[in-house]
Amino acid sequence: MGVTEERPSVLSQEQFEELAHLGNRVDESLRLEFINGRIGEKAVPDGVHGRIIVWLTQFCVQALPGMWLFGEQGIRVETYRKGNARPDGLLAPIDHFVEQGEWASPEGVLMVVEVTSTDSDTTSRDRVDKPRAYAESGIPVYLLIDRGTHEVKVHSLPDGVRYESMLTVPFGKTVPLPDPVGFDLDTEPLKSWVH
């Protein structure tokens, strides 16, 4: 069996952004992403997913006054493919995205958060493609709340290609979030919501 070479997308970043805008006009719940040269549909969050984001937002606001965990803000990611992601959360100063539009620069974002869903491409999207895209974009911390494995994964030290450090802890333990986030996250509540 030969190795197949990945074919780059024929879409430019600008064309994708126009397509995503049109898709949203057709159905407001349609959320598209353009990562690793491929268009993907972001799953509609369920109640547990939403509860996790609310919990994490409250935690971040208490730990870091003046910061906010923005949900569903689009950002431009990757270096050579020019991708677009719509993370579950972006930790940034409260006025950070003012006047940046639907697809903002990742510059100044302290942490990006994803909570896995139950759709079929979660493994490739949240566990492979997005860590690479976020590291290429220079986002200091990528927090993955992995409902499939019941683990929290903290990626840090982006080198422009990948995150050099990854710490994995099971739900229920406290995990340190490195600078510039700089606080410990008690993941005990996740055990009540994810079974």
Side-chain angles (χ1 to χ4, degrees):
M1 187 183 302
V3 175
T4 58
E5 190 173 311
E6 215 174 282
R7 189 171 58 95
S9 174
V10 297
L11 284 179
S12 69
Q13 186 173 33
E14 293 76 22
Q15 290 169 323
F16 167 77
E17 289 176 13
E18 185 177 336
L19 178 65
H21 179 73
L22 291 171
N24 191 28
R25 286 179 50 199
V26 170
D27 184 342
E28 289 181 8
S29 68
L30 180 62
R31 296 287 185 253
L32 298 177
E33 295 180 307
F34 188 50
I35 299 175
N36 203 17
R38 293 186 311 259
I39 294 176
E41 184 179 349
K42 188 165 176 78
V44 175
D46 59 27
V48 171
H49 184 283
R51 180 62 181 106
I52 291 170
I53 293 299
V54 167
W55 161 76
L56 192 55
T57 300
Q58 290 173 321
F59 205 100
C60 289
V61 169
Q62 288 174 353
L64 299 170
M67 297 290 168
W68 190 257
L69 188 68
F70 295 88
E72 296 299 313
Q73 169 66 53
I75 56 170
R76 293 188 172 110
V77 294
E78 301 177 307
T79 51
Y80 77 99
R81 281 205 172 108
K82 306 295 185 205
N84 297 67
R86 196 174 295 283
D88 293 324
L90 291 166
L91 183 63
I94 202 157
D95 290 329
H96 186 72
F97 295 110
V98 172
E99 297 185 20
Q100 285 206 48
E102 183 178 5
W103 300 103
S105 165
E107 189 175 327
V109 171
L110 305 182
M111 178 173 72
V112 63
V113 177
E114 295 288 357
V115 177
T116 60
S117 60
T118 57
D119 59 335
S120 61
D121 67 342
T122 285
T123 293
S124 65
R125 189 180 62 244
D126 291 340
R127 299 180 186 121
V128 178
D129 294 338
K130 285 189 176 181
R132 183 174 48 237
Y134 297 148
E136 285 182 12
S137 302
I139 298 171
V141 178
Y142 171 42
L143 175 65
L144 176 62
I145 298 175
D146 196 325
R147 297 191 297 171
T149 63
H150 294 229
E151 296 172 323
V152 173
K153 297 174 175 126
V154 180
H155 301 75
S156 60
L157 302 174
D159 67 4
V161 177
R162 68 188 58 81
Y163 286 103
E164 292 181 358
S165 176
M166 185 176 78
L167 174 63
T168 303
V169 300
F171 289 176
K173 298 234 174 165
T174 297
V175 61
L177 299 178
D179 288 335
V181 179
F183 64 78
D184 292 341
L185 180 65
D186 177 6
T187 69
E188 183 67 31
L190 296 171
K191 291 169 59 178
S192 299
W193 303 318
V194 180
H195 304 288

